[in-house]
Amino acid sequence: MYQDQALDLEKQFTAALKSIARRSDLKSYVEQTPQLNRILRHAAARFVTGEARQDGLDAGQKLIAKGYAISLEYIGENTTDASECEAAVKEMMTLIDDFGQKGTPARVSFDLSHIGLSLDTELAFSNLMKLAEQAQRAGVELFISMEESSKTGQILSVYKRAASIYPNVGITLQAQLKRTPQDLAMLASPCRVRIVKGAYQESDDRSIPRSPALNERYVELVESSIRQGHFVSIATHDEQIIKTLLDQGLTGSNIEFEMLYGIRPDLSSRLKAAGHPVRIYLTYGQEWYLYLCHRIAEYPPNLFQAVIDLVSNEEIEPVQSYN
Ligand code: FDA
């Protein structure tokens, strides 16, 4: 009985935090209240490298030096102002150039709704093409994140058009969506695909909640991606799923493990030490508030750590936790 109540509370907590993340009034309050902004930014340092591009590049270089591959995201989504979309594209172009000039083997990840999808599909497509062209020249990989299910069809169709011209563009699929096995089957082979569980709250008719059934679906999606000849990023921190896949003898040059910066560095370190390719997904930017809420919502014990961080003056440097 008590356990049921606790689970129910956890679900409500997750939903509340996800809606807090979307409340523009709360976000403005955080942005405009210096003291609050400072302490929350301190807590966000567990998951976000900093506000500036250089913060992401510096943390990324340290991880590369330790033998990890990296993804870097300039945080942002649901941008409804055309000039902000343009500014985001400019920022990503500079990031791609930085990687290209230093010869850093990296992946740039982003939401299509950060570069125009919330305004016009064609704007998102043309911005994606600009990024893909530049990335191809710089030897950089681009990865499109997956957003709410209301956008899945649009995102996939923009991705497919771009990937038919630029093979350096990859796509993220969410195991939690019931439609995903069909979406996966419709991708041209071979391509670059990242399998995640899914971070968005979706209705029961469209999605599978966190459960053994979802974990089974996740494993099946990875297996069928490999069968289809795709390069697969296994993007989960779920140790049981990873164990199941490794027990099946999953190895080779067409897979990698990918985990979010600051989450389960112990697991990333162990996988790397065992000789598996591991990529760490880093973020930077001013929109860290949204990202912090998401990371706490998907794993409520993070709230305890966040509260400890709020009152601590200790410098937080997650890179040090990676061996
Ligand atoms: P699950 O949530 O079941 O957690 C399994 C275990 O992992 C937990 O028990 C805990 O030990 C650990 N864990 C998970 N989250 C944690 C956290 N925040 N803090 C501490 N420990 C945690 N989603 C999406 O909808 N669209 C996208 O494009 C992406 N992109 C993306 C890229 C990459 C590289 C990753 C790793 C993840 C995403 N996600 C995403 C997020 C993804 O959908 C999912 O919400 C998180 O990865 C958490 O799910 P897990 O697979 O880790 O399992």
Side-chain angles (χ1 to χ4, degrees):
M1 181 66 188
Y2 172 74
Q3 233 184 0
D4 285 352
Q5 277 174 347
L7 268 176
D8 195 42
L9 259 181
E10 190 172 312
K11 268 193 194 154
Q12 289 183 46
F13 172 82
T14 299
L17 253 179
K18 288 189 174 174
S19 76
I20 284 174
R22 304 245 163 262
R23 287 261 305 266
S24 54
D25 55 338
L26 292 178
K27 183 170 163 258
S28 308
Y29 184 70
V30 169
E31 282 167 357
Q32 286 156 23
T33 314
Q35 195 73 346
L36 181 63
N37 189 290
R38 192 181 57 76
I39 56 173
L40 282 178
R41 200 153 19 112
H42 187 59
R46 290 251 163 233
F47 309 109
V48 180
T49 60
E51 291 198 332
R53 186 186 327 122
Q54 199 56 46
D55 296 323
L57 292 170
D58 288 348
Q61 280 303 342
K62 288 180 190 161
L63 288 168
I64 288 171
K66 290 184 182 207
Y68 294 94
I70 60 161
S71 288
L72 190 51
E73 179 193 346
Y74 170 54
I75 312 169
E77 62 179 47
N78 296 328
T79 310
T80 50
D81 178 322
S83 63
E84 283 178 25
C85 293
E86 207 176 303
V89 172
K90 214 169 147 205
E91 173 62 31
M92 290 178 211
M93 291 279 207
T94 312
L95 181 59
I96 291 167
D97 272 350
D98 268 344
F99 282 141
Q101 276 165 22
K102 294 195 186 91
T104 309
R107 172 182 291 176
V108 171
S109 285
F110 56 94
D111 284 349
L112 279 180
S113 73
H114 196 188
I115 59 166
L117 195 74
S118 306
L119 288 166
D120 171 20
T121 309
E122 286 312 304
L123 176 64
F125 175 68
S126 73
N127 281 335
L128 174 60
M129 293 297 277
K130 282 186 213 160
L131 292 172
E133 163 72 34
Q134 176 117 343
Q136 181 154 286
R137 264 189 275 123
V140 168
E141 207 185 334
L142 287 188
F143 241 88
I144 299 174
S145 296
M146 191 47 80
E147 307 183 45
E148 295 92 333
S149 64
S150 53
K151 300 180 200 154
T152 308
Q154 243 180 322
I155 292 173
L156 284 171
S157 90
V158 170
Y159 156 74
K160 284 177 192 164
R161 285 164 68 197
S164 67
I165 302 164
Y166 295 107
N168 60 328
V169 180
I171 185 73
T172 308
L173 294 178
Q174 297 159 329
Q176 71 175 11
L177 290 193
K178 290 181 180 168
R179 58 177 285 168
T180 297
Q182 288 78 42
D183 289 337
L184 178 63
M186 302 295 282
L187 297 183
S189 286
C191 71
R192 295 162 199 246
V193 63
R194 173 194 282 143
I195 309 288
V196 300
K197 282 194 186 175
Y200 297 90
Q201 206 104 40
E202 300 286 352
S203 62
D204 290 347
D205 59 322
R206 289 180 182 187
S207 74
I208 308 168
R210 293 287 193 271
S211 59
L214 175 61
N215 297 348
E216 259 174 52
R217 169 60 63 85
Y218 190 103
V219 169
E220 283 162 16
L221 288 168
V222 171
E223 290 167 346
S224 56
S225 302
I226 293 171
R227 272 199 307 276
Q228 286 177 58
H230 300 319
F231 178 85
V232 194
S233 274
I234 301 164
T236 181
H237 317 94
D238 191 320
E239 205 164 345
Q240 195 50 51
I241 289 184
I242 293 172
K243 184 174 178 314
T244 304
L245 289 166
L246 289 176
D247 285 350
Q248 291 173 3
L250 173 111
T251 49
S253 56
N254 58 342
I255 62 125
E256 67 177 7
F257 295 99
E258 189 174 13
M259 295 189 209
L260 301 178
Y261 176 69
I263 300 180
R264 298 295 315 263
D266 58 318
L267 182 55
S268 296
S269 304
R270 261 192 282 135
L271 286 167
K272 184 175 74 74
H276 301 293
V278 182
R279 185 181 295 273
I280 307 299
Y281 187 112
L282 306 120
T283 56
Y284 73 94
Q286 296 79 27
E287 299 292 328
W288 50 264
Y289 169 74
L290 174 80
Y291 193 80
L292 175 65
C293 291
H294 269 296
R295 298 294 78 85
I296 295 176
E298 72 196 358
Y299 190 65
N302 280 341
L303 184 63
F304 302 141
Q305 185 64 59
V307 171
I308 295 166
D309 292 340
L310 291 183
V311 295
S312 141
N313 288 323
E314 252 175 58
E315 201 174 324
I316 298 169
E317 230 206 310
V319 170
Q320 284 168 357
S321 318
Y322 291 87
N323 297 319

